[in-house]
Amino acid sequence: MDFYTKMYPKAYFNNIKDVSIEFLQSHNIKGLLIDVDNTLIDYNKNILFGVKEWIDNMDKEGIKLCILSNTNNKSKVENVARYLEIPYIYFAMKPLKFGFKKGVNKLKLPNKNIGVIGDQLLTDVLGANRTGMYSILVKPINDQSFLQAMEFCQIFPKYDVPFIKVKTSRIEVKINTGDILYIDIANRTTRIHLINETIKVSGSFKEIPNHY
């Protein structure tokens, strides 16, 4: 698996609550490593509505759970873990394998039976794919523009049009879709990562067909 392929999740859901026990069972997933920021809690540290019931249901169905967060704020992760009644790992340094190995030790499951749920391509998805786990991307709680980016990306490294136009802070830019490595969200800004630069998008995408 090359680097480009490792950037793409094996599954995508609108939020963590949409991940069903049936889906996990169909992919032989017996444990989950779950991100915190923008996956379980929003920017104001509010727990996503209904997620406690989702966690309890997964536990009843025998799915092992553990929080895997990059934050070095131990108390924040600890508070979430205590409320959800699941173990946690903080300062995981995703996508490095260090944190994922600690997660394996917590869950006591083979890598192939572990799913990783998070909202970031560069940390959660890349790290999961590098360690042979099942990567599940979810839309960030606070980021509406993410869905648009992922719909455009279609989670695959192929595009239906050769070019797109996007608005930056000052100008409109024409982009060759063949130069796009991946699209992600940071600080509520959609970022298109190209081979030689990163473009921050302030408006919507405009597709340019061949005859344009």
PDB file of all heavy atoms in Angstrom, residues 148-161:
ATOM      1  N   GLN A 148     -18.696  18.424   2.258  1.00  0.00           N
ATOM      2  CA  GLN A 148     -18.563  18.856   0.875  1.00  0.00           C
ATOM      3  C   GLN A 148     -17.231  18.393   0.299  1.00  0.00           C
ATOM      4  O   GLN A 148     -17.159  17.894  -0.833  1.00  0.00           O
ATOM      5  CB  GLN A 148     -18.642  20.386   0.796  1.00  0.00           C
ATOM      6  CG  GLN A 148     -18.476  20.927  -0.607  1.00  0.00           C
ATOM      7  CD  GLN A 148     -18.334  22.425  -0.611  1.00  0.00           C
ATOM      8  OE1 GLN A 148     -17.542  22.981   0.148  1.00  0.00           O
ATOM      9  NE2 GLN A 148     -19.091  23.091  -1.447  1.00  0.00           N
ATOM     10  N   ALA A 149     -16.178  18.512   1.082  1.00  0.00           N
ATOM     11  CA  ALA A 149     -14.863  18.086   0.610  1.00  0.00           C
ATOM     12  C   ALA A 149     -14.827  16.593   0.350  1.00  0.00           C
ATOM     13  O   ALA A 149     -14.288  16.138  -0.663  1.00  0.00           O
ATOM     14  CB  ALA A 149     -13.793  18.467   1.641  1.00  0.00           C
ATOM     15  N   MET A 150     -15.408  15.813   1.247  1.00  0.00           N
ATOM     16  CA  MET A 150     -15.374  14.372   1.082  1.00  0.00           C
ATOM     17  C   MET A 150     -16.282  13.903  -0.054  1.00  0.00           C
ATOM     18  O   MET A 150     -15.990  12.938  -0.745  1.00  0.00           O
ATOM     19  CB  MET A 150     -15.779  13.683   2.387  1.00  0.00           C
ATOM     20  CG  MET A 150     -14.724  13.788   3.478  1.00  0.00           C
ATOM     21  SD  MET A 150     -13.134  13.040   3.012  1.00  0.00           S
ATOM     22  CE  MET A 150     -12.184  14.483   2.564  1.00  0.00           C
ATOM     23  N   GLU A 151     -17.408  14.616  -0.256  1.00  0.00           N
ATOM     24  CA  GLU A 151     -18.280  14.274  -1.376  1.00  0.00           C
ATOM     25  C   GLU A 151     -17.564  14.524  -2.696  1.00  0.00           C
ATOM     26  O   GLU A 151     -17.679  13.764  -3.648  1.00  0.00           O
ATOM     27  CB  GLU A 151     -19.575  15.083  -1.306  1.00  0.00           C
ATOM     28  CG  GLU A 151     -20.533  14.581  -0.240  1.00  0.00           C
ATOM     29  CD  GLU A 151     -21.764  15.444  -0.114  1.00  0.00           C
ATOM     30  OE1 GLU A 151     -21.733  16.585  -0.615  1.00  0.00           O
ATOM     31  OE2 GLU A 151     -22.743  14.985   0.487  1.00  0.00           O
ATOM     32  N   PHE A 152     -16.799  15.612  -2.716  1.00  0.00           N
ATOM     33  CA  PHE A 152     -16.032  15.903  -3.930  1.00  0.00           C
ATOM     34  C   PHE A 152     -14.955  14.848  -4.140  1.00  0.00           C
ATOM     35  O   PHE A 152     -14.744  14.323  -5.230  1.00  0.00           O
ATOM     36  CB  PHE A 152     -15.375  17.283  -3.836  1.00  0.00           C
ATOM     37  CG  PHE A 152     -14.370  17.513  -4.916  1.00  0.00           C
ATOM     38  CD1 PHE A 152     -14.779  17.764  -6.205  1.00  0.00           C
ATOM     39  CD2 PHE A 152     -13.016  17.420  -4.644  1.00  0.00           C
ATOM     40  CE1 PHE A 152     -13.854  17.947  -7.216  1.00  0.00           C
ATOM     41  CE2 PHE A 152     -12.090  17.601  -5.652  1.00  0.00           C
ATOM     42  CZ  PHE A 152     -12.506  17.866  -6.940  1.00  0.00           C
ATOM     43  N   CYS A 153     -14.277  14.508  -3.061  1.00  0.00           N
ATOM     44  CA  CYS A 153     -13.201  13.524  -3.119  1.00  0.00           C
ATOM     45  C   CYS A 153     -13.748  12.129  -3.418  1.00  0.00           C
ATOM     46  O   CYS A 153     -13.072  11.313  -4.024  1.00  0.00           O
ATOM     47  CB  CYS A 153     -12.477  13.486  -1.765  1.00  0.00           C
ATOM     48  SG  CYS A 153     -10.731  13.802  -1.858  1.00  0.00           S
ATOM     49  N   GLN A 154     -14.978  11.872  -2.979  1.00  0.00           N
ATOM     50  CA  GLN A 154     -15.636  10.580  -3.138  1.00  0.00           C
ATOM     51  C   GLN A 154     -14.821   9.450  -2.489  1.00  0.00           C
ATOM     52  O   GLN A 154     -14.951   8.285  -2.846  1.00  0.00           O
ATOM     53  CB  GLN A 154     -15.890  10.274  -4.623  1.00  0.00           C
ATOM     54  CG  GLN A 154     -16.837  11.277  -5.270  1.00  0.00           C
ATOM     55  CD  GLN A 154     -17.098  10.982  -6.729  1.00  0.00           C
ATOM     56  OE1 GLN A 154     -16.335  10.275  -7.375  1.00  0.00           O
ATOM     57  NE2 GLN A 154     -18.159  11.520  -7.257  1.00  0.00           N
ATOM     58  N   ILE A 155     -13.952   9.821  -1.565  1.00  0.00           N
ATOM     59  CA  ILE A 155     -13.124   8.885  -0.809  1.00  0.00           C
ATOM     60  C   ILE A 155     -12.199   8.069  -1.722  1.00  0.00           C
ATOM     61  O   ILE A 155     -11.548   7.149  -1.315  1.00  0.00           O
ATOM     62  CB  ILE A 155     -13.992   7.949   0.064  1.00  0.00           C
ATOM     63  CG1 ILE A 155     -14.975   8.763   0.904  1.00  0.00           C
ATOM     64  CG2 ILE A 155     -13.145   7.159   1.055  1.00  0.00           C
ATOM     65  CD1 ILE A 155     -14.364   9.778   1.822  1.00  0.00           C
ATOM     66  N   PHE A 156     -12.145   8.389  -2.985  1.00  0.00           N
ATOM     67  CA  PHE A 156     -11.280   7.672  -3.911  1.00  0.00           C
ATOM     68  C   PHE A 156     -10.342   8.649  -4.609  1.00  0.00           C
ATOM     69  O   PHE A 156     -10.689   9.796  -4.829  1.00  0.00           O
ATOM     70  CB  PHE A 156     -12.107   6.929  -4.975  1.00  0.00           C
ATOM     71  CG  PHE A 156     -13.026   5.902  -4.410  1.00  0.00           C
ATOM     72  CD1 PHE A 156     -14.381   6.160  -4.309  1.00  0.00           C
ATOM     73  CD2 PHE A 156     -12.546   4.695  -3.953  1.00  0.00           C
ATOM     74  CE1 PHE A 156     -15.246   5.223  -3.774  1.00  0.00           C
ATOM     75  CE2 PHE A 156     -13.405   3.748  -3.426  1.00  0.00           C
ATOM     76  CZ  PHE A 156     -14.763   4.020  -3.335  1.00  0.00           C
ATOM     77  N   PRO A 157      -9.132   8.221  -4.995  1.00  0.00           N
ATOM     78  CA  PRO A 157      -8.178   9.112  -5.643  1.00  0.00           C
ATOM     79  C   PRO A 157      -8.452   9.304  -7.136  1.00  0.00           C
ATOM     80  O   PRO A 157      -7.549   9.425  -7.928  1.00  0.00           O
ATOM     81  CB  PRO A 157      -6.844   8.391  -5.423  1.00  0.00           C
ATOM     82  CG  PRO A 157      -7.207   6.957  -5.389  1.00  0.00           C
ATOM     83  CD  PRO A 157      -8.551   6.898  -4.727  1.00  0.00           C
ATOM     84  N   LYS A 158      -9.734   9.301  -7.529  1.00  0.00           N
ATOM     85  CA  LYS A 158     -10.095   9.539  -8.917  1.00  0.00           C
ATOM     86  C   LYS A 158     -11.208  10.577  -8.951  1.00  0.00           C
ATOM     87  O   LYS A 158     -12.075  10.590  -8.090  1.00  0.00           O
ATOM     88  CB  LYS A 158     -10.555   8.237  -9.594  1.00  0.00           C
ATOM     89  CG  LYS A 158      -9.467   7.187  -9.721  1.00  0.00           C
ATOM     90  CD  LYS A 158      -9.990   5.952 -10.430  1.00  0.00           C
ATOM     91  CE  LYS A 158      -8.893   4.899 -10.556  1.00  0.00           C
ATOM     92  NZ  LYS A 158      -9.389   3.666 -11.219  1.00  0.00           N
ATOM     93  N   TYR A 159     -11.214  11.418  -9.966  1.00  0.00           N
ATOM     94  CA  TYR A 159     -12.177  12.485 -10.068  1.00  0.00           C
ATOM     95  C   TYR A 159     -12.900  12.429 -11.407  1.00  0.00           C
ATOM     96  O   TYR A 159     -12.370  11.961 -12.397  1.00  0.00           O
ATOM     97  CB  TYR A 159     -11.486  13.844  -9.897  1.00  0.00           C
ATOM     98  CG  TYR A 159     -10.734  13.947  -8.596  1.00  0.00           C
ATOM     99  CD1 TYR A 159      -9.394  13.573  -8.524  1.00  0.00           C
ATOM    100  CD2 TYR A 159     -11.361  14.381  -7.445  1.00  0.00           C
ATOM    101  CE1 TYR A 159      -8.705  13.643  -7.330  1.00  0.00           C
ATOM    102  CE2 TYR A 159     -10.664  14.454  -6.250  1.00  0.00           C
ATOM    103  CZ  TYR A 159      -9.338  14.072  -6.201  1.00  0.00           C
ATOM    104  OH  TYR A 159      -8.671  14.137  -5.016  1.00  0.00           O
ATOM    105  N   ASP A 160     -14.146  12.913 -11.423  1.00  0.00           N
ATOM    106  CA  ASP A 160     -14.957  12.873 -12.638  1.00  0.00           C
ATOM    107  C   ASP A 160     -14.625  14.004 -13.598  1.00  0.00           C
ATOM    108  O   ASP A 160     -15.063  13.981 -14.750  1.00  0.00           O
ATOM    109  CB  ASP A 160     -16.445  12.950 -12.272  1.00  0.00           C
ATOM    110  CG  ASP A 160     -16.891  11.715 -11.496  1.00  0.00           C
ATOM    111  OD1 ASP A 160     -16.337  10.634 -11.750  1.00  0.00           O
ATOM    112  OD2 ASP A 160     -17.793  11.856 -10.652  1.00  0.00           O
ATOM    113  N   VAL A 161     -13.914  15.006 -13.141  1.00  0.00           N
ATOM    114  CA  VAL A 161     -13.575  16.155 -13.984  1.00  0.00           C
ATOM    115  C   VAL A 161     -12.070  16.406 -13.929  1.00  0.00           C
ATOM    116  O   VAL A 161     -11.425  16.084 -12.926  1.00  0.00           O
ATOM    117  CB  VAL A 161     -14.330  17.424 -13.524  1.00  0.00           C
ATOM    118  CG1 VAL A 161     -15.821  17.266 -13.759  1.00  0.00           C
ATOM    119  CG2 VAL A 161     -14.040  17.735 -12.064  1.00  0.00           C
TER     120      VAL A 161
END
